């Protein structure tokens, strides 16, 4: 049985990295990228451990295997992981409802991934629903960036309530959409699922 939980052990973080590696864009064919989606950033165990000091991640586990995950990343992480600094600084210049994103109390979706053998089973929605339930009392919204070419991910995020608030092209000519899931106004309903270990 698949259960949804907070990440709590080094072994679970290693499971996240294993699943991440299987879905990195640089290791996929053009056909896989188009049909299945991809993740862009490759984390180290040290990166995840530093992020984990502030907030846990949401994971779906099939026995001991991590079948899906949604990473939780706070502003404190920018001081630990230098490559995040530019993203957080950009939030000073992106407006959401007439205020800079940086004026809100938000959590960043560091990455989301569902294992290939577990797609089409509702895990994306279930993990995000757990993410919302865990964080909504402390944060105004979740925010993340999705490459425009990652159509599977864009469509899935829009379906559960994310909206595009800003679009830009990076130095590699890749177009990115900054998307927000406002927990004060959007609701997500999913089927029943087992929730375990859902406390810090």
């Amino acid at each position: 049985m698949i259960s949804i939980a907070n990440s709590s052990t080094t072994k679970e973080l290693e499971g996240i990295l294993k699943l991440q590696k299987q879905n990195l864009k640089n290791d996929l064919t053009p056909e896989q990228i188009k049909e299945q989606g991809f993740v862009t950033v490759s984390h180290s165990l040290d990166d995840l451990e530093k992020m984990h000091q502030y907030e846990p991640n949401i994971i779906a586990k099939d026995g001991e295997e991590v079948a899906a995950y949604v990473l939780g990343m706070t502003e404190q992480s920018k001081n630990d992981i230098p490559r995040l600094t530019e993203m957080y600084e950009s939030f000073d210049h992106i407006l959401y409802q007439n205020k800079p994103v940086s004026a809100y109390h938000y959590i960043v979706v560091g990455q989301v991934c569902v294992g290939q053998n577990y797609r089409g089973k509702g895990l994306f929605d279930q993990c995000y629903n757990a993410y919302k339930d865990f964080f909504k009392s402390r944060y105004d919204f979740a925010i993340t960036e999705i490459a425009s070419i990652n159509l599977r991910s864009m469509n899935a995020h829009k379906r559960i309530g994310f909206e595009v608030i800003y679009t830009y092209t990076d130095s590699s000519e890749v177009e990115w959409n900054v998307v927000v899931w406002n927990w004060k106004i959007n609701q997500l309903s999913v089927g029943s699922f087992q929730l375990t270990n859902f406390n810090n």
Side-chain angles (χ1 to χ4, degrees):
M1 176 182 287
I2 296 177
S3 60
I4 311 295
N6 284 349
S7 58
S8 60
T9 67
T10 298
K11 185 175 181 180
E12 289 172 342
L13 297 183
E14 291 172 342
I16 289 172
L17 293 177
K18 179 182 177 182
L19 181 54
Q20 180 185 79
K21 181 173 175 55
Q22 294 169 355
N23 291 276
L24 285 170
K25 180 183 177 184
N26 290 344
D27 297 331
L28 300 177
T29 66
E31 291 76 16
Q32 289 173 317
I33 289 171
K34 182 177 180 180
E35 295 175 6
Q36 298 295 323
F38 57 88
V39 297
T40 304
V41 176
S42 176
H43 296 92
S44 66
L45 181 59
D46 185 56
D47 288 341
L48 292 190
E49 287 176 337
K50 287 176 177 176
M51 290 161 54
H52 209 260
Q53 293 175 38
Y54 306 110
E55 294 288 9
N57 309 295
I58 301 300
I59 56 174
K61 294 184 69 178
D62 185 1
E64 293 302 308
E65 181 179 1
V66 175
Y69 64 80
V70 187
L71 302 185
M73 193 163 64
T74 67
E75 190 174 4
Q76 293 99 315
S77 297
K78 76 177 181 182
N79 300 316
D80 299 323
I81 308 173
R83 69 172 181 268
L84 299 178
T85 303
E86 184 177 355
M87 179 187 71
Y88 279 100
E89 289 180 346
S90 73
F91 291 162
D92 291 330
H93 309 289
I94 298 174
L95 295 181
Y96 179 58
Q97 296 184 347
N98 300 315
K99 293 196 298 185
V101 167
S102 57
Y104 294 90
H105 193 50
Y106 58 85
I107 187 161
V108 173
V109 177
Q111 195 173 73
V112 56
C113 185
V114 177
Q116 185 171 359
N117 294 333
Y118 297 94
R119 292 170 190 165
K121 302 179 185 299
L123 284 187
F124 183 92
D125 291 41
Q126 291 175 20
C127 285
Y128 257 127
N129 191 55
Y131 196 88
K132 174 186 176 183
D133 286 347
F134 187 75
F135 290 120
K136 67 181 180 181
S137 65
R138 304 196 303 282
Y139 298 96
D140 298 318
F141 54 73
I143 186 170
T144 193
E145 296 182 340
I146 306 170
S148 294
I149 61 171
N150 197 347
L151 294 177
R152 185 185 181 99
S153 183
M154 277 299 304
N155 290 336
H157 281 81
K158 286 181 177 179
R159 175 172 50 77
I160 66 168
F162 279 86
E163 60 177 319
V164 177
I165 65 167
Y166 185 74
T167 301
Y168 71 95
T169 302
D170 67 16
S171 58
S172 302
E173 299 302 313
V174 175
E175 184 179 84
W176 292 88
N177 297 297
V178 178
V179 297
V180 161
W181 188 14
N182 188 331
W183 290 328
K184 307 302 182 186
I185 59 173
N186 290 322
Q187 300 294 324
L188 172 65
S189 298
V190 299
S192 60
F193 58 92
Q194 180 182 353
L195 181 64
T196 62
N197 190 29
F198 206 54
N199 295 290
N200 280 332

